[in-house]
Amino acid sequence: MSDVFSKLGDSLKSTLKVATEQTQKSVDQVACRTDLMNKRNELKRLFTSLGEAQYKCYVEQVECEDRDALYAKIDALKLQITEIEQRLGEIVTTQKSSLDSYKREVKSTWNEPETKEKKADLEEDGIEILKVCPVCNTGNHEYAAYCIKCGNKFE
């Protein structure tokens, strides 16, 4: 029984640690997504400015000097957007893989009951021998310490 409490304590500690890490990764994701949205909006404003400048030059029949500066700003902003998208992808991938890893760890911890080490004995006709709970009449593994339905402790 103390082993169950020990496993439970360890599971709670690791769950709290993973929950904290996952929360931080979610915060990082939100920050990246917000930054990405701001950069994309800025890019739209630059394209609008470029269009207005180009049209103004067309109407006035002059060479557009602002265009090259806007091109440079747009190129730099597109590069920043690509970098943010890559960072966001890395955060999402890391978050998913660490959560999947944690799930596997928890499953392996709790899917190793002591009774699994021992195989149930079989009667002559191949039927598994069960321990029947005197309280609820549920069949349990032969080596079970507690009833799987009502929790009664076997003597």
Side-chain angles (χ1 to χ4, degrees):
M1 186 66 160
S2 66
D3 185 44
V4 170
F5 288 122
S6 174
K7 281 184 179 180
L8 183 59
D10 291 343
S11 287
L12 288 174
K13 286 178 192 174
S14 65
T15 299
L16 182 59
K17 181 182 174 201
V18 169
T20 303
E21 291 169 356
Q22 291 294 320
T23 301
Q24 183 58 52
K25 288 175 184 158
S26 294
V27 168
D28 293 344
Q29 261 194 63
V30 169
C32 275
R33 290 181 193 279
T34 301
D35 194 22
L36 189 59
M37 183 178 66
N38 290 336
K39 298 289 184 194
R40 285 180 176 159
N41 286 336
E42 188 178 340
L43 184 63
K44 286 178 185 178
R45 283 191 295 275
L46 285 175
F47 278 127
T48 301
S49 295
L50 177 63
E52 289 172 357
Q54 183 66 34
Y55 182 72
K56 182 180 175 186
C57 292
Y58 168 75
V59 168
E60 295 175 3
Q61 298 288 320
V62 294
E63 185 62 33
C64 195
E65 298 170 11
D66 296 342
R67 206 174 30 194
D68 292 336
L70 288 171
Y71 288 157
K73 286 181 183 178
I74 288 171
D75 289 341
L77 200 53
K78 282 187 158 194
L79 184 61
Q80 290 175 2
I81 288 172
T82 301
E83 290 170 355
I84 293 169
E85 288 172 337
Q86 288 173 346
R87 190 170 16 139
L88 180 61
E90 290 169 2
I91 291 170
V92 169
T93 301
T94 303
Q95 185 175 19
K96 184 176 180 345
S97 68
S98 68
L99 186 59
D100 289 345
S101 171
Y102 170 71
K103 287 178 183 177
R104 283 190 300 275
E105 180 184 319
V106 168
K107 284 180 182 177
S108 69
T109 299
W110 288 100
N111 285 338
E112 300 175 301
E114 297 166 15
T115 56
K116 230 180 189 179
E117 296 171 6
K118 303 175 184 177
K119 292 284 185 187
D121 293 332
L122 300 177
E123 291 184 351
E124 293 174 13
D125 56 1
I127 297 174
E128 184 177 335
I129 299 173
L130 297 177
K131 183 185 289 186
V132 178
C133 176
V135 176
C136 67
N137 292 325
T138 299
N140 293 273
H141 190 278
E142 181 181 15
Y143 299 106
Y146 295 89
C147 177
I148 59 172
K149 183 175 182 185
C150 70
N152 176 54
K153 182 175 181 175
F154 296 125
E155 296 178 25

